[in-house]
């Protein structure tokens, strides 16, 4: 009987296929060349099973893989070379770690015989990536490929998801082995799905049943656990108002009657203040980020805290809990729903309305319906949200564009937001939007960027051009690093130290890449320009001239209590 003898590089192709990979974002180089040679046959002809997207920078590969993962629910894959190729991915790996995004980064490495010799483009990838990944492993021999790839995908997608790094030595890529597929579905000491503690569920239900003013904080864990329907059944049965973290915005529809808005430093006024009034606070798949809690010494001290999370390390990390339910929320939410009593908290819910109205009058209406002056970011986002399809995906960069976009976009379907939360990575938006278009080609992808973030990954316009990726890019140009400028104005005596930006001619740049472009300066032109953008097949750049002094409000100043939100400056 003839043995199926193949190289390590070809073994990688088979292992990726076995994991259901369809799309790879990558950039070739010397140390990964055997893999790219093997990939040639798997991207064309009868053997084709992968789409390879040639990015223009390795950081773009990781962010594109993140966008793909966030929208599809699958594991994103990035393929790069050694040395600077893989060090360029570290920002994306760290971003994926903080935002629990499942990606696998596969990087070339010098042959094992050259390790430690300072060979050309050698870097200790395992050493530098271990602190910012779920698992980092060096494949030193071809016989380890099938096992390592299966283990990598198992770790990346299970439990609390996250990034995994495979450092693929060049000798292992070229060695020949007898192919034997492997499937890893168990790792000793790794328990991705903790056993549900039913006594903890009972205690949580008892607190909720006796609550007069319960409040739920909904995080991305609901989306990662595909528990959107389970969340609704829980909230509706117990009649609990809910706030959503930035990454959890599409876990509950914008128009759901129990949705009270966004939590956090620039979230909605009522739900933030009510955190300091509720008697039972139920955190579901969220990590009590400092941008949500404000001053931890005063945060929700009046409330009993229930924390539902799959990651035991998050329990009591920032906020001391009274009851912890450590399990997948896909399992814990139905168990809790079965024990909570059907309730009516109308009086409690109604108490949000005066605060909502105060925010609407002081902040929202002036932001989305200004009567005069230059364009504002809020009105641009609001106008696009009103014209975009209900299943549109919001992608943002980082800064004021992100804060305005997440506040004023509308969410009607699950997995409808891609943004860099924990790391706050400028340059994330454009490549993440590319990934989103491959994850859901049938959905409209609206990518909001400031002039700063747009220029940080501007080279990915080349990827958009080549792939004809239908990203609707909204460039909100205020000629400033706007968020830093706002903080300088508020807390640094208006000393605008190096936040003013000289910008290029974006129309000429768009022409160079063959991407349709329109600029909007006057308010009366905005609606028609948006309609044209959304009606145009393929990519589009809509540049909006934004008021330079536009500020994001409300705002909880750093270090202040969550109920000390400012509605005006």
């Amino acid at each position: 009987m003839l043995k199926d003898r193949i190289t390590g590089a070809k073994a990688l192709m088979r292992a990726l296929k076995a994991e259901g990979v369809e799309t790879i974002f990558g950039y070739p180089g010397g140390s990964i060349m055997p893999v790219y040679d093997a990939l040639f046959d798997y991207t064309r002809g009868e053997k084709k099973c992968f789409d390879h997207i040639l990015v223009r920078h390795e950081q773009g590969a990781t962010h594109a893989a993140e966008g793909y993962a966030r929208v599809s629910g699958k594991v994103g894959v990035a393929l790069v070379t050694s040395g600077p190729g893989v060090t360029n991915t570290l920002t994306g790996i760290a971003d994926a770690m903080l935002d629990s995004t499942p990606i696998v980064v596969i990087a070339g490495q010098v042959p094992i015989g050259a390790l430690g010799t300072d060979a050309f483009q050698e870097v200790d990838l395992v050493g530098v990536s271990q602190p910012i990944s779920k698992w980092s492993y060096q494949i030193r021999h071809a016989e380890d490929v099938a096992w390592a790839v299966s283990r990598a995908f198992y770790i990346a997608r299970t439990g609390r998801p996250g990034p995994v790094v495979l450092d693929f030595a060049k000798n292992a890529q070229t060695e020949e082995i007898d192919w034997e597929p492997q499937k890893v579905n168990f790792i000793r000491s790794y328990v991705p799905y903790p056993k549900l503690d039913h006594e903890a569920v009972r205690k949580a239900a008892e607190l909720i049943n006796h609550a007069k003013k319960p409040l739920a904080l909904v995080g991305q864990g609901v989306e990662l656990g595909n528990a959107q329907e389970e969340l609704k059944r829980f909230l509706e049965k117990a009649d609990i108002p809910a706030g959503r973290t930035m990454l959890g915005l599409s876990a509950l529809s914008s128009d759901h009657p129990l949705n009270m808005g966004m939590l956090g430093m620039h979230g909605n006024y009522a739900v933030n203040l009510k955190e300091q009034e509720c008697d039972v606070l139920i955190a579901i798949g969220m990590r009590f980020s400092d941008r949500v809690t404000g001053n931890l010494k005063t945060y929700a001290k009046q409330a009993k805290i229930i924390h539902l999370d799959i990651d035991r390390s998050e329990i009591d990390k920032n906020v001391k809990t009274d009851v912890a339910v450590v399990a997948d929320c896909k399992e814990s939410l139905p168990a809790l729903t079965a024990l909570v009593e059907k309730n009516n908290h109308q009086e409690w819910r109604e108490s949000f309305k005066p605060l909502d109205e105060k925010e609407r009058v002081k902040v929202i209406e002036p932001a989305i319906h200004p009567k005069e002056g230059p364009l504002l970011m809020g009105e641009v986002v609001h106008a696009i949200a009103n014209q975009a399809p209900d299943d549109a995906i919001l992608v943002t960069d980082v800064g004021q564009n992100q804060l305005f976009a997440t506040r004023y976009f509308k969410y009607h379907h699950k997995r409808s937001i891609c943004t860099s939360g924990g790391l706050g990575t400028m340059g994330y938006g454009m490549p993440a939007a590319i990934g989103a278009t491959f994850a859901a080609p049938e959905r409209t992808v609206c990518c909001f960027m400031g002039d700063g973030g747009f220029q940080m990954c501007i080279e990915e316009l080349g990827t958009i051009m080549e792939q004809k990726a239908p990203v609707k890019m909204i460039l909100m140009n205020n000629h400033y690093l706007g968020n830093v400028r706002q903080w300088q104005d508020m807390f640094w005596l208006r000393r605008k130290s190096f936040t003013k930006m000289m910008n290029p001619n974006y129309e000429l740049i768009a022409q160079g890449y063959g991407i349709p472009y329109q600029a909007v300066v006057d308010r009366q032109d905005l609606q028609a320009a948006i309609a044209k953008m959304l009606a145009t097949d393929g990519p589009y750049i809509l540049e909006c001239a934004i008021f330079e002094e536009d500020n994001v409000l409300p705002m909880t100043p750093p270090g202040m209590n969550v109920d000390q939100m400012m509605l005006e400056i």
Side-chain angles (χ1 to χ4, degrees):
M1 180 178 175
L2 292 175
K3 291 186 176 181
D4 192 8
R5 196 159 180 82
I6 59 173
T7 65
K10 291 182 179 178
L12 175 64
M13 297 299 105
R14 294 190 183 185
L16 293 176
K17 183 179 178 181
E19 293 299 329
V21 173
E22 297 175 341
T23 307
I24 299 170
F25 303 93
Y27 202 97
S31 289
I32 199 68
M33 208 172 293
V35 168
Y36 267 88
D37 184 69
L39 184 63
F40 185 89
D41 292 330
Y42 283 81
T43 54
R44 64 205 72 214
E46 293 181 1
K47 257 182 153 180
K48 179 177 179 179
C49 56
F50 305 131
D51 286 319
H52 178 273
I53 313 306
L54 178 65
V55 296
R56 298 306 189 261
H57 190 283
E58 292 89 354
Q59 182 178 344
T62 51
H63 294 327
E66 286 186 275
Y68 179 88
R70 293 272 279 273
V71 172
S72 69
K74 302 176 183 178
V75 178
V77 179
L79 182 64
V80 299
T81 194
S82 63
V86 75
T87 57
N88 283 342
T89 70
L90 293 177
T91 296
I93 294 168
D95 192 278
M97 188 67 178
L98 279 170
D99 285 351
S100 304
T101 305
I103 65 171
V104 172
V105 176
I106 303 166
Q109 179 59 282
V110 300
I112 60 171
L115 289 172
T117 68
D118 292 334
F120 179 66
Q121 293 190 334
E122 178 192 358
V123 69
D124 179 9
L125 176 57
V126 172
V128 298
S129 63
Q130 270 184 338
I132 55 172
S133 62
K134 278 189 77 175
W135 185 52
S136 185
Y137 179 76
Q138 187 174 78
I139 302 175
R140 299 169 67 91
H141 300 286
E143 63 192 26
D144 297 330
V145 170
W147 169 84
V149 170
S150 183
R151 182 182 170 106
F153 277 78
Y154 176 67
I155 291 173
R157 67 163 67 98
T158 56
R160 180 178 181 174
V164 170
V165 177
L166 293 178
D167 189 32
F168 199 179
K170 195 168 185 179
N171 63 284
Q173 299 173 41
T174 56
E175 290 170 359
E176 289 194 344
I177 54 162
D178 295 328
W179 168 251
E180 290 184 17
Q182 293 198 38
K183 186 65 177 175
V184 174
N185 52 26
F186 171 79
I187 300 172
R188 190 175 62 181
S189 80
Y190 174 59
V191 184
Y193 301 104
K195 185 178 179 181
L196 181 64
D197 182 347
H198 289 279
E199 178 60 19
V201 175
R202 186 193 65 76
K203 290 179 179 178
E206 186 176 350
L207 285 177
I208 293 168
N209 289 336
H210 287 90
K212 302 298 182 185
K213 299 179 178 181
L215 178 63
L217 311 184
V218 177
Q220 190 194 194
V222 173
E223 294 260 63
L224 297 174
N226 294 310
Q228 298 88 351
E229 290 303 315
E230 289 81 357
L231 172 71
K232 281 201 299 182
R233 285 193 284 271
F234 166 67
L235 296 176
E236 289 169 359
K237 182 178 181 182
D239 195 32
I240 299 175
R244 303 158 301 160
T245 67
M246 182 180 287
L247 295 184
L249 282 170
S250 61
L252 187 66
S253 177
S254 296
D255 56 7
H256 193 284
L258 291 173
N259 170 27
M260 299 296 155
M262 185 170 78
L263 300 161
M265 177 180 279
H266 292 285
N268 292 107
Y269 188 60
V271 71
N272 277 280
L273 268 61
K274 291 297 182 178
E275 289 178 272
Q276 301 295 73
E277 187 182 334
C278 66
D279 57 1
V280 174
L281 188 151
I282 309 115
I284 308 169
M286 55 87 71
R287 59 188 179 87
F288 287 112
S289 160
D290 60 299
R291 288 298 172 99
V292 167
T293 63
N295 183 3
L296 279 170
K297 293 180 180 178
T298 61
Y299 179 71
K301 293 301 180 184
Q302 80 293 338
K304 296 291 185 182
I305 308 292
I306 300 168
H307 195 173
L308 281 64
D309 206 283
I310 198 169
D311 186 353
R312 190 176 299 276
S313 70
E314 288 297 339
I315 305 300
D316 296 334
K317 185 177 80 174
N318 295 327
V319 173
K320 178 69 177 173
T321 59
D322 293 280
V323 179
V325 181
V326 183
D328 187 345
C329 59
K330 186 82 171 176
E331 181 183 11
S332 60
L333 279 171
L336 188 57
T337 305
L339 297 182
V340 297
E341 298 168 356
K342 188 165 182 61
N343 217 324
N344 185 331
H345 292 291
Q346 183 177 355
E347 184 177 347
W348 167 235
R349 286 188 285 103
E350 291 290 324
S351 72
F352 284 70
K353 291 184 177 178
L355 297 173
D356 284 333
E357 179 63 12
K358 189 174 181 180
E359 180 185 1
R360 187 190 69 79
V361 172
K362 283 185 169 288
V363 176
I364 296 175
E365 281 301 314
I368 66 175
H369 295 131
K371 294 181 173 59
E372 57 185 8
L375 286 170
L376 301 180
M377 290 192 194
E379 71 173 309
V380 172
V381 177
H382 178 72
I384 291 172
N386 282 344
Q387 289 198 42
D390 279 354
D391 66 347
I393 297 166
L394 170 70
V395 183
T396 83
D397 208 85
V398 167
Q400 287 184 318
N401 67 90
Q402 174 188 41
L403 303 170
F404 276 111
T406 51
R407 276 182 59 83
Y408 295 115
F409 208 73
K410 293 181 175 64
Y411 311 91
H412 301 285
H413 291 258
K414 63 183 182 180
R415 295 189 176 274
S416 291
I417 180 170
C418 293
T419 192
S420 174
L423 198 63
T425 305
M426 289 180 67
Y428 170 94
M430 194 186 302
I434 294 170
T437 65
F438 283 93
E442 75 286 357
R443 298 175 68 182
T444 299
V445 176
C446 296
C447 180
F448 292 85
M449 295 172 279
D451 41 316
F454 185 90
Q455 292 181 77
M456 277 205 175
C457 270
I458 198 170
E459 72 281 347
E460 296 308 329
L461 288 172
T463 308
I464 290 173
M465 170 187 68
E466 183 173 349
Q467 300 297 330
K468 297 181 175 58
V471 180
K472 309 306 180 188
M473 292 167 275
I474 301 94
L475 170 57
M476 300 200 285
N477 188 357
N478 58 8
H479 298 277
Y480 268 101
L481 298 174
N483 211 38
V484 184
R485 190 273 311 154
Q486 178 172 335
W487 282 48
Q488 287 173 339
D489 282 352
M490 293 177 67
F491 310 120
W492 296 92
L493 303 176
R494 301 186 66 83
R495 289 159 57 88
K496 297 180 177 63
S497 181
F498 300 101
T499 45
K500 180 79 172 177
M501 296 193 76
M502 177 182 288
N503 286 317
N505 186 323
Y506 292 111
E507 182 176 13
L508 293 179
I509 290 171
Q511 288 177 6
Y513 285 102
I515 297 173
Y517 164 96
Q518 184 174 353
V520 177
V521 176
D522 297 322
R523 182 164 289 112
Q524 61 264 26
D525 300 328
L526 180 62
Q527 296 292 342
I530 292 169
K532 183 178 179 182
M533 174 184 72
L534 294 174
T536 301
D537 290 335
Y540 199 97
I541 298 175
L542 179 64
E543 181 181 359
C544 299
I546 300 295
F547 177 46
E548 290 186 353
E549 302 289 315
D550 201 2
N551 292 317
V552 189
L553 291 168
M555 180 179 185
T556 302
M560 301 298 283
N561 303 340
V562 71
D563 58 351
Q564 293 177 308
M565 288 195 91
M566 302 166 56
L567 291 175
E568 54 191 0
I569 297 176

